[in-house]
Amino acid sequence: MAFDYEKYIRPGKLPHIWCPGCGHGIIMKGLIRALDSLKLDMTQTSIVSGIGCASRLPGYMDCCTLHTAHGRAAAFATGIKLAKPEMNVICVGGDGDGTAIGGNHFIHACRRNIDITYVIMNNYIYGMTGGQFSPTTPTGNKASTTPYGNPDPCFDVAKLAIGAGATFVARGTAFHANQIDKLIAEAIQHKGFSVVEILDDCPTTYGRRNKFKSVVEMMNRLKEVAVPVKAAEKMTAEQLQGKILTGVLYKDETKPEYTAEYDKVIERAQAKK
Amino acid sequence: MSKKVAFLQGNEAASYGALYAGCNFFAGYPITPSTEVAEVMSVELPKIGGKFIQMEDEIAASAAMMGAALAGFKTFDSTSGPGLSLKQELIGMACISEIPCVIFNVMRGGPSTGMPTGPSQSDVMCAKWGTHGDHPAICLVPSTVQETFEEVVRAFNLSEKYRTPVLVMPDEIVAHMRERVVFPEPGEIPIEPRRTPTVPPEQYKPYDTSFGDVPPLAAYGSGYKFHVTSLNKGQDGFPTTKAEWVQAEEERQVRKVEANADDIIEFEEYQLDDAEVVVVAYGSTSRSGRYAVNEARKQGIKAGMFRLKTFWPFPDKQIKALAGKVKGFIVPEMNLGMCSIEVERNAQGKAPVLGINRVDGEPINPDQILAKMKEVI
């Protein structure tokens, strides 16, 4: 029997706003399968986003959803999670939202190691505003605001998350659809701040400016550059040139989780009273 | 039983007022001259099982507070000028998404970093016009430490009653001075509970106007699944660009405050019955105003004071009524003329409005006010 996505979707809210060929829908389906595999209670699950194409995702999902201001998802989610640690709190959003305007909130959520899962849908571009370069747009690429090629170096989102203190960091791609649900499910189960970066495609505003002739070509690129971490162990530096590691990149189960630490603050305060 | 009495700073009183009102979540970011509020909350909240978090910046503090508010908590945040500027983004979202929360802003010299330890009253326009777009504004301006406690309680009540952010804005003098505070007994000041839905989850709409201009608000995690967005929304909470829905929702958001101005606006009339010259003042400046009125009376000048406790909505009706009766208004304030604009608007040319304006970090003293009174008489 085909998987029933509809029971997680709000009635009447589809079709979504995403362009034909965009990978966001693939990622949303992966997220739904992850929620389903964990049998999470949707009344106890909150999905929080900022602004951008990817940030429209919560509106389609039938749970406690919050579409906030640009970049602020992690900070809003921190409030919900600290208030109600029993809830499952998931952030979704794009690369610009999460790592440019929301970069500060993102790294501090990583640092606190608060038990939130952040799914970054990285399509290398500001799609909703028409294709301006983001902190993940590769150097030299074209965007509507880098007509002569992008002079900016870019972030490696996974490395940024690890460096900032996230305790579970994984990467997948929109091409490897069957892996997305597993990565997100493992991230949700992890006690601590978990980041799942999904490399995505934006044919409308990124692909056409950067000589991708079709969505298929963009998807094929994701297929070609992705190397599972296990496979990479057997590859030489030369073979790994231009490749991007996928799978679970980092996991630390020793660092204390923030809301559990705050419970200890309450205990200490009450013992002193 | 005698009531608990303490010698407190305005900022400390604000914290205890918040706790009295049922605050159980604080998110903040350190900033002079309001930091004591965060410090007291960090001590007191965990004792009652509440949550305190210091965020990475003022925007994040507002965000965390609003997230917790949507999870059903009564939330508080303290800041000052530059922080208030940063918070404008999410004050706008709290207005359009109708998220109750209380922001305590201690007014210091500005703009920008300005004079962090000096008093000012130059944020009062920012409280209404700081965030973009049309939106409601409630702003309370206490003038004593006792009143700071009480106005923070009232701010929580108003934010729940009208499902909107409320600002409490003492100037730095009120925030840092120490005075005797008599704590009200629990229950002595009624506490407004959040109006939560009575309909089952499947029928719930977060902006359902069949319940009036202030629709009930469910909490995340309480069994209700609903959507909140910073976009213009319909009654179901989902984004819309449908002209008639956007118009209706925006008008309702403002109306729920403006139409209830009489419930929200509080003020003190001091020696106004036969007053020919009226000082319109708020915050610490009103303390000089009171002294000046007393001195003027001794000298035979029929002076009085209209003291604002609520700055927004502005007491239009009351100032309009006075304008027909008095020879002039004097508006002393630690800015270059903000309240003056509102008084002039309401005076409608019927009485002159004379400002006394200081932005040098020094308080306005009674002599200055007295001298100005003599210009009117």
Side-chain angles (χ1 to χ4, degrees):
Chain A
M1 206 177 86
F3 185 88
D4 179 16
Y5 290 98
E6 272 185 48
K7 67 176 176 176
Y8 291 91
I9 299 282
R10 287 194 163 111
K13 293 301 159 197
L14 292 181
H16 54 65
I17 64 157
W18 301 320
C19 301
C22 169
H24 290 355
I26 297 169
I27 299 168
M28 184 166 80
K29 287 173 82 175
L31 172 64
I32 289 173
R33 292 194 305 278
L35 297 174
D36 188 74
S37 72
L38 299 172
K39 305 273 174 283
L40 298 185
D41 177 354
M42 288 299 104
T43 69
Q44 298 301 317
T45 301
S46 183
I47 305 181
V48 185
S49 67
I51 295 295
C53 296
S55 289
R56 287 302 189 92
L57 187 151
Y60 308 124
M61 299 290 298
D62 194 14
C63 59
C64 305
T65 53
L66 178 56
H67 175 225
T68 73
H70 199 16
R72 315 301 174 209
F76 274 87
T78 297
I80 296 172
K81 185 68 185 183
L82 180 59
K84 288 193 167 163
E86 67 277 14
M87 287 188 75
N88 315 298
V89 182
I90 298 158
C91 289
V92 296
D95 39 288
D97 184 62
T99 69
I101 190 166
N104 200 30
H105 310 310
F106 179 72
I107 58 172
H108 286 277
C110 291
R111 173 180 62 82
R112 285 188 197 99
N113 196 35
I114 188 163
D115 188 20
I116 293 168
T117 296
Y118 201 128
V119 179
I120 290 209
M121 298 147 83
N122 179 5
N123 60 6
Y124 311 100
I125 205 81
Y126 285 91
M128 190 166 261
T129 45
Q132 298 74 38
F133 76 99
S134 87
T136 64
T137 306
T139 307
N141 270 202
K142 294 278 178 65
S144 76
T145 47
T146 56
Y148 308 108
N150 179 20
D152 280 34
C154 57
F155 270 146
D156 177 323
V157 176
K159 278 187 183 163
L160 177 69
I162 295 166
T167 51
F168 180 97
V169 179
R171 189 191 282 130
T173 86
F175 175 85
H176 302 87
N178 291 338
Q179 191 190 23
I180 295 172
D181 49 344
K182 292 165 191 77
L183 294 176
I184 295 176
E186 195 175 341
I188 292 172
Q189 282 179 298
H190 175 77
K191 270 273 164 218
F193 195 76
S194 51
V195 176
V196 182
E197 179 192 16
I198 307 292
L199 303 180
D200 203 351
D201 70 317
C202 178
T204 307
T205 74
Y206 176 77
R208 69 188 169 90
R209 283 198 180 88
N210 289 286
K211 299 199 170 94
F212 287 100
K213 290 195 181 69
S214 66
V215 173
V216 174
E217 202 182 308
M218 295 191 84
M219 283 289 169
N220 277 335
R221 179 203 156 256
L222 293 176
K223 179 186 174 187
E224 282 154 20
V225 297
V227 175
V229 272
K230 279 264 154 44
E233 284 167 11
K234 295 170 203 143
M235 290 166 69
T236 63
E238 202 172 56
Q239 287 170 316
L240 284 170
Q241 196 68 36
K243 300 288 185 190
I244 298 170
L245 298 188
T246 57
V248 178
L249 307 178
Y250 182 76
K251 194 170 182 172
D252 172 6
E253 288 173 318
T254 63
K255 183 174 171 179
E257 190 276 327
Y258 187 81
T259 62
E261 287 303 294
Y262 198 82
D263 283 343
K264 292 179 196 167
V265 169
I266 292 175
E267 276 172 35
R268 292 197 290 272
Q270 294 185 344
K272 251 188 151 178
K273 198 157 65 170
Chain B
M1 203 178 84
S2 63
K3 287 182 181 174
K4 194 183 153 198
V5 174
F7 189 57
L8 295 179
Q9 194 190 56
N11 281 339
E12 293 166 348
S15 307
Y16 293 113
L19 293 163
Y20 183 92
C23 170
N24 50 4
F25 191 101
F26 180 98
Y29 185 80
I31 186 165
T32 303
S34 74
T35 306
E36 294 87 357
V37 181
E39 288 173 341
V40 173
M41 296 309 276
S42 75
V43 173
E44 298 300 332
L45 274 175
K47 289 185 193 168
I48 57 165
K51 309 289 171 76
F52 169 92
I53 189 166
Q54 182 173 312
M55 294 297 288
E56 54 272 15
D57 60 35
E58 284 93 344
I59 303 173
S62 291
M65 169 172 80
M66 288 161 62
L70 288 169
F73 282 56
K74 292 182 92 165
T75 63
F76 193 41
D77 178 10
S78 64
T79 193
S80 182
L84 185 66
S85 291
L86 287 175
K87 286 178 186 300
Q88 293 304 330
E89 170 188 311
L90 294 182
I91 288 173
M93 183 177 163
C95 289
I96 195 173
S97 310
E98 300 179 68
I99 301 173
C101 53
V102 178
I103 300 150
F104 188 76
N105 176 68
V106 179
M107 291 190 278
R108 71 186 223 191
S112 191
T113 312
M115 191 153 36
T117 55
S120 146
Q121 295 177 309
S122 56
D123 297 349
V124 288
M125 283 295 177
C126 186
K128 183 167 173 68
W129 306 112
T131 195
H132 63 278
D134 289 294
H135 55 86
I138 301 178
C139 173
L140 314 181
V141 281
S143 67
T144 70
V145 175
Q146 179 77 39
E147 198 169 82
T148 302
F149 180 103
E150 291 164 1
E151 289 299 271
V152 167
V153 177
R154 192 162 77 92
F156 272 91
N157 284 344
L158 292 172
S159 81
E160 295 296 343
K161 191 171 183 183
Y162 297 108
R163 203 180 147 180
T164 196
V166 175
L167 286 151
V168 183
M169 307 215 309
D171 52 73
E172 185 272 345
I173 296 172
V174 173
H176 273 162
M177 74 163 95
R178 289 187 179 274
E179 288 183 313
R180 183 175 187 266
V181 174
V182 182
F183 284 85
E185 298 289 343
E188 190 179 328
I189 305 176
I191 301 302
E192 187 84 27
R194 182 158 307 172
R195 213 165 138 229
T196 51
T198 47
V199 297
E202 58 278 11
Q203 286 171 24
Y204 178 63
K205 289 186 284 185
Y207 307 96
D208 189 345
T209 55
S210 61
F211 295 93
D213 275 353
V214 189
L217 176 60
Y220 288 154
S222 68
Y224 288 77
K225 297 182 286 185
F226 60 102
H227 188 57
V228 173
T229 176
S230 57
L231 288 162
N232 278 106
K233 81 285 179 189
Q235 295 200 9
D236 57 3
F238 293 98
T240 185
T241 52
K242 211 171 167 183
E244 64 268 33
W245 289 7
V246 172
Q247 180 84 18
E249 277 291 279
E250 289 236 6
E251 285 181 356
R252 178 181 62 76
Q253 279 155 215
V254 173
R255 183 177 64 232
K256 69 181 179 181
V257 169
E258 299 296 331
N260 290 294
D262 285 345
D263 179 49
I264 299 165
I265 293 169
E266 285 194 5
F267 51 85
E268 181 196 352
E269 292 172 310
Y270 185 65
Q271 309 263 27
L272 279 187
D273 286 347
D274 61 343
E276 293 178 341
V277 55
V278 171
V279 177
V280 180
Y282 53 101
S284 68
T285 309
S286 69
R287 300 167 73 111
S288 294
R290 189 183 310 275
Y291 194 96
V293 167
N294 293 342
E295 288 301 305
R297 289 270 167 184
K298 283 180 203 162
Q299 296 178 23
I301 300 169
K302 286 181 178 170
M305 180 168 69
F306 185 90
R307 181 171 74 85
L308 308 172
K309 286 174 73 178
T310 306
F311 199 99
W312 301 114
F314 198 80
D316 293 346
K317 201 165 67 181
Q318 290 77 11
I319 300 295
K320 278 193 177 85
L322 282 171
K325 293 192 268 183
V326 303
K327 287 187 180 164
F329 290 105
I330 292 168
V331 187
E333 49 184 341
M334 290 182 282
N335 59 50
L336 293 179
M338 294 185 180
C339 185
S340 292
I341 296 171
E342 291 301 301
V343 177
E344 271 171 12
R345 183 172 61 78
N346 286 296
Q348 296 173 316
K350 290 178 191 161
V353 179
L354 279 71
I356 303 170
N357 308 101
R358 285 192 88 150
V359 289
D360 57 357
E362 294 295 324
I364 291 167
N365 62 51
D367 285 350
Q368 283 179 284
I369 301 171
L370 195 57
K372 198 61 96 178
M373 284 174 181
K374 289 173 183 170
E375 284 179 34
V376 175
I377 298 297

